[in-house]
Amino acid sequence: MEYKVTNIADEAFIYGSIDNDANTITVYIPYYLSIDVIDPEITVADGAEVEGEILPVSVKETGQTYTVTGSDGTKRTYTLEIVVQGPPSLSVEFLRTTDIANGYPNATITVYGDFYSYSAETLTAKLTNQETGEVFEPDVTNVEIKNAYNYLGYSFRLPIPAEATAGNYDVEIGFLGNTAKTEKPLTVRYRAPQLTTGLIRVKRGEDYVFNSQNNYVFLGLTKLTVEIGGVAYDLPIQSSDRTTATVKIPEDLPLGENRPGILYGTYSDWPDVVTHRVSSFTVEE
């Protein structure tokens, strides 16, 4: 039996190490190849066959198995073990030119590191609030690692979860089997909430969902009103979280288009009433 990885640059291959006593196939992937998945090719003896379709496998997959049926009908199941070989250590940091790294919920902040690879498949992140102990694990599924052209060479934009509360956070990054913490903490701050701008079209008696702008959150929305003809009309809140708010459109709201649309929001975690301006606010029957 032969197991080889075919999606390597320059028509090269990586061969798996097969242990017929432990029934394992071990594949070692050098970090500098920057691959997220392996595309395997399996060759077995004449008369034998591999059950099922041989598909690409994520380098962080831990449950992949292959069952081989021999020419005499006997079966053997192999467990695939993928070992991504990383550099011996990891360093991560925010910009050295700033004493404090500031960030906002539902926004991102740049993290620099000596990753030596563009594959973010093994990337993890953890934010721990120094005062409360709250832990947030940002979704880094779609993060891209790029050249940074600075002292650590690589960077990525770390998402700050919308649910993150204000405070100072220890930031721990995991990559290719190594973990490191930034020297300075991340200070998460609140700023005035903002609605998504654009053309808003609502219907009397129906629910409408408002969204927060990217890089902003709703900080405990308690009241939302719309100004039409100089008069403020309440939009009863049905439900809300940090990125969406569902309101009921009153039956008596004046019909027509208002340019610009002006809404006022009151938030439990923000001291001032916030004026939200949108391109237009149109009420329909």
Side-chain angles (χ1 to χ4, degrees):
M1 178 178 172
E2 179 183 85
Y3 188 101
K4 67 180 180 181
V5 178
T6 62
N7 58 318
I8 308 299
D10 301 323
E11 299 183 353
F13 301 105
I14 292 177
Y15 290 88
S17 176
I18 300 172
D19 187 331
N20 287 314
D21 293 325
N23 291 332
T24 59
I25 304 169
T26 304
V27 176
Y28 295 92
I29 307 294
Y31 63 88
Y32 52 78
L33 292 179
S34 294
I35 60 175
D36 295 335
V37 298
I38 62 171
D39 193 0
E41 181 180 293
I42 302 176
T43 304
V44 294
D46 291 342
E49 62 179 17
V50 181
E51 292 185 3
E53 187 177 0
I54 301 171
L55 299 172
V57 183
S58 166
V59 296
K60 61 182 179 183
E61 176 63 53
T62 58
Q64 179 65 48
T65 60
Y66 301 97
T67 298
V68 179
T69 303
S71 57
D72 60 355
T74 59
K75 294 188 177 186
R76 185 192 295 266
T77 298
Y78 294 87
T79 299
L80 177 65
E81 297 179 358
I82 302 175
V83 179
V84 181
Q85 298 172 301
S89 62
L90 175 66
S91 296
V92 291
E93 192 52 272
F94 302 114
L95 274 179
R96 282 183 174 176
T97 54
T98 57
D99 294 328
I100 300 174
N102 291 317
Y104 305 97
N106 199 34
T108 62
I109 187 170
T110 300
V111 174
Y112 299 89
D114 52 354
F115 303 118
Y116 300 107
S117 173
Y118 299 108
S119 171
E121 193 71 6
T122 63
L123 182 68
T124 61
K126 183 172 70 173
L127 309 182
T128 304
N129 189 301
Q130 294 180 341
E131 290 80 24
T132 67
E134 287 180 290
V135 175
F136 298 92
E137 296 185 358
D139 182 3
V140 294
T141 304
N142 297 315
V143 161
E144 294 184 13
I145 297 176
K146 301 179 179 181
N147 281 324
Y149 304 107
N150 75 339
Y151 61 102
L152 287 177
Y154 298 79
S155 69
F156 70 89
R157 299 291 295 178
L158 175 67
I160 302 173
E163 298 78 18
T165 52
N168 295 318
Y169 287 80
D170 291 327
V171 178
E172 184 177 271
I173 303 298
F175 190 70
L176 292 172
N178 296 311
T179 58
K181 191 166 71 172
T182 58
E183 180 179 349
K184 68 187 80 171
L186 168 65
T187 299
V188 174
R189 296 179 174 179
Y190 293 153
R191 56 182 170 183
Q194 294 298 323
L195 290 170
T196 298
T197 57
L199 306 176
I200 294 178
R201 190 176 297 272
V202 302
K203 291 187 177 182
R204 284 176 169 176
E206 294 188 359
D207 287 348
Y208 185 85
V209 179
F210 289 97
N211 296 301
S212 65
Q213 283 192 32
N214 289 336
N215 304 323
Y216 291 84
V217 292
F218 295 146
L219 298 170
L221 179 63
T222 58
K223 184 178 181 181
L224 189 64
T225 61
V226 59
E227 182 180 294
I228 297 177
V231 179
Y233 297 85
D234 287 342
L235 303 178
I237 299 169
Q238 307 300 298
S239 63
S240 67
D241 55 30
R242 286 208 161 190
T243 57
T244 62
T246 301
V247 302
K248 175 70 71 174
I249 304 303
E251 295 282 2
D252 60 348
L253 207 62
L255 297 174
E257 181 182 35
N258 300 275
R259 286 182 175 269
I262 302 176
L263 300 99
Y264 301 97
T266 303
Y267 299 87
S268 60
D269 292 329
W270 188 256
D272 305 314
V273 174
V274 181
T275 300
H276 301 289
R277 296 181 183 274
V278 295
S279 299
S280 71
F281 188 93
T282 301
V283 182
E284 299 177 339
E285 187 67 61

